[in-house]
Amino acid sequence: MSYSERAGSDGRKRLWLEEEIQEDLKWCVEVKEVLHSGASEFQTMELVRSGPFGKVLLLDGKVQSAEADEFVYHELLVHPAMLLHPNPKRVFICGGGEGATAREVLRHKSVEEVIMVDIDKDVCDFCNQHLEANQEAFANPKLKLIYDDAKAQLQQCQGTFDVIVADLADPVYGGPCYQLYTQDFYRDVVKPKLSPDGIFVTQSGPAGVLSSTEVFTAIHSTLHSVFPSVLPYAQHIPSYNDAWGFNMAVRNVSMQLPDSALKLDQLIQQRINGSLKFLDGLTLLAVTTLNKVVRAAVQQEDHIYTVDNPRFIHGAGMKTI
């Protein structure tokens, strides 16, 4: 990620955010104002006010969240798993420092306890201060926020969880989170901490026609080596400049979401406080139907993600866990 100044059609100099998506591909977003720029112990962090997307949070030079469309990502990360579980009361969030994942989890009427563990206190504090939409979630008494390694805390937690959500930074080389996409983590840490009907869901990186084999398909393959059933799904997110993927793994294969949009809409109304901006029954049915190219890539993938044999999204981090 870098900034450049260029003259617009009106001759006025403008500041542009350039994000390198791959070695031969960049895209640019006009920056109205740089609100914060710095580095924590683990990663660089930036908050800018952009032209098309409002406030944009970047970690290690990668767009993490944009004010204009973050609800798409967070509703898709959280609600399919929460709706699939018959009565989710106890939820663990790996990462999630900006607070939006906790915000969506806490909308479920059944939830009694949410434990959120993010390694980077600086990011959490900054997001609590500057991202107003999530401040209520940070203050919710049902939320217990811990600043530590999510893997260690999940292992140490007493009891099991109904849903475990991995809202982690992308697996970039040298970044703080790639070890939490591995078979060892899923098999030895996540699965034992799920209740018999427990569900695990993780963000899984780019899932477009040209990008799905970077990490999305490998994460699916790795989860499938541990869990009996894994549902991949994806949706285009404008600020990510690509389709974005998710993988949801279940222990109990008999659990199924309703197969009609009407029944899904009724379930959403019964279980969730307030109305969702993006997700409804028809949308959920749509995002779980992958296009032909990506579907074939998922079916053909045989890579198992390990510490010694990982895959990375283009980019670089600062420090590993």
Side-chain angles (χ1 to χ4, degrees):
M1 183 275 297
S2 61
Y3 296 104
S4 63
E5 280 192 349
R6 304 176 192 169
S9 57
D10 57 1
R12 181 172 59 89
K13 281 190 175 182
R14 297 177 180 176
L15 183 65
W16 293 85
L17 169 70
E18 295 183 348
E19 182 176 358
E20 187 172 284
I21 298 171
Q22 55 191 48
E23 289 186 359
D24 56 358
L25 178 62
K26 293 182 179 180
W27 81 310
C28 300
V29 177
E30 185 181 2
V31 173
K32 301 293 188 182
E33 181 182 5
V34 178
L35 301 173
H36 176 81
S37 179
S40 71
E41 181 184 356
F42 302 99
Q43 55 202 331
T44 62
M45 52 186 181
E46 318 244 1
L47 187 70
V48 303
R49 190 182 308 281
S50 73
F53 303 123
K55 290 181 182 178
V56 176
L57 174 69
L58 303 103
L59 299 178
D60 281 341
K62 292 286 186 181
V63 173
Q64 299 298 305
S65 180
E67 190 175 29
D69 60 9
E70 59 84 8
F71 62 91
V72 178
Y73 169 92
H74 290 105
E75 288 185 15
L76 286 174
L77 177 64
V78 169
H79 297 305
M82 295 291 289
L83 292 168
L84 177 58
H85 194 282
N87 189 29
K89 294 183 177 181
R90 194 167 190 241
V91 179
F92 188 98
I93 300 172
C94 305
E98 72 176 275
T101 296
R103 179 195 73 209
E104 295 302 318
V105 169
L106 288 163
R107 296 178 68 175
H108 283 257
K109 300 171 184 177
S110 61
V111 168
E112 297 176 356
E113 180 185 23
V114 181
I115 297 176
M116 178 175 125
V117 182
D118 195 288
I119 199 168
D120 202 329
K121 184 177 186 299
D122 290 341
V123 169
C124 295
D125 290 345
F126 184 77
C127 291
N128 189 11
Q129 179 181 356
H130 293 282
L131 302 181
E132 293 84 357
N134 304 333
Q135 289 173 345
E136 187 176 339
F138 278 110
N140 193 305
K142 294 181 181 179
L143 177 67
K144 180 180 181 182
L145 179 55
I146 301 170
Y147 307 111
D148 198 2
D149 175 1
K151 177 181 177 181
Q153 285 294 324
L154 184 54
Q155 288 174 311
Q156 294 169 19
C157 275
Q158 298 297 311
T160 58
F161 295 89
D162 300 312
V163 178
I164 298 175
V165 183
D167 183 15
L168 301 165
D170 297 331
V172 296
Y173 182 78
C177 291
Y178 80 92
Q179 297 179 46
L180 304 188
Y181 292 91
T182 63
Q183 184 186 55
D184 286 351
F185 177 63
Y186 297 150
R187 180 190 61 217
D188 301 335
V189 182
V190 172
K191 191 174 183 180
K193 285 296 179 179
L194 287 171
S195 62
D197 288 338
I199 301 164
F200 173 71
V201 62
T202 181
Q203 80 91 2
S204 301
V209 168
L210 301 181
S211 61
S212 65
T213 56
E214 289 182 17
V215 294
F216 173 65
T217 56
I219 292 170
H220 178 271
S221 177
T222 305
L223 281 168
H224 222 308
S225 73
V226 175
F227 290 90
S229 179
V230 182
L231 177 67
Y233 56 103
Q235 167 62 35
H236 179 75
I237 299 179
S239 62
Y240 291 176
N241 197 36
D242 206 343
W244 210 255
F246 308 84
N247 280 288
M248 181 169 64
V250 300
R251 298 194 66 171
N252 181 356
V253 295
S254 68
M255 294 192 307
Q256 299 288 331
L257 283 166
D259 58 3
S260 79
L262 177 60
K263 290 179 180 178
L264 284 166
D265 287 336
Q266 290 171 342
L267 186 63
I268 289 169
Q269 187 173 12
Q270 292 165 4
R271 300 268 294 270
I272 298 175
N273 287 312
S275 59
L276 302 180
K277 291 183 179 180
F278 179 77
L279 193 65
D280 63 5
L282 278 174
T283 303
L284 185 50
L285 293 175
V287 299
T288 55
T289 304
L290 300 177
N291 68 63
K292 182 178 180 180
V293 173
V294 176
R295 189 169 66 250
V298 168
Q299 293 168 349
Q300 295 165 11
E301 182 66 75
D302 60 3
H303 182 90
I304 303 299
Y305 205 114
T306 66
V307 172
D308 296 327
N309 191 25
R311 284 184 183 174
F312 297 110
I313 293 174
H314 183 74
M318 294 182 63
K319 184 174 181 179
T320 60
I321 292 174

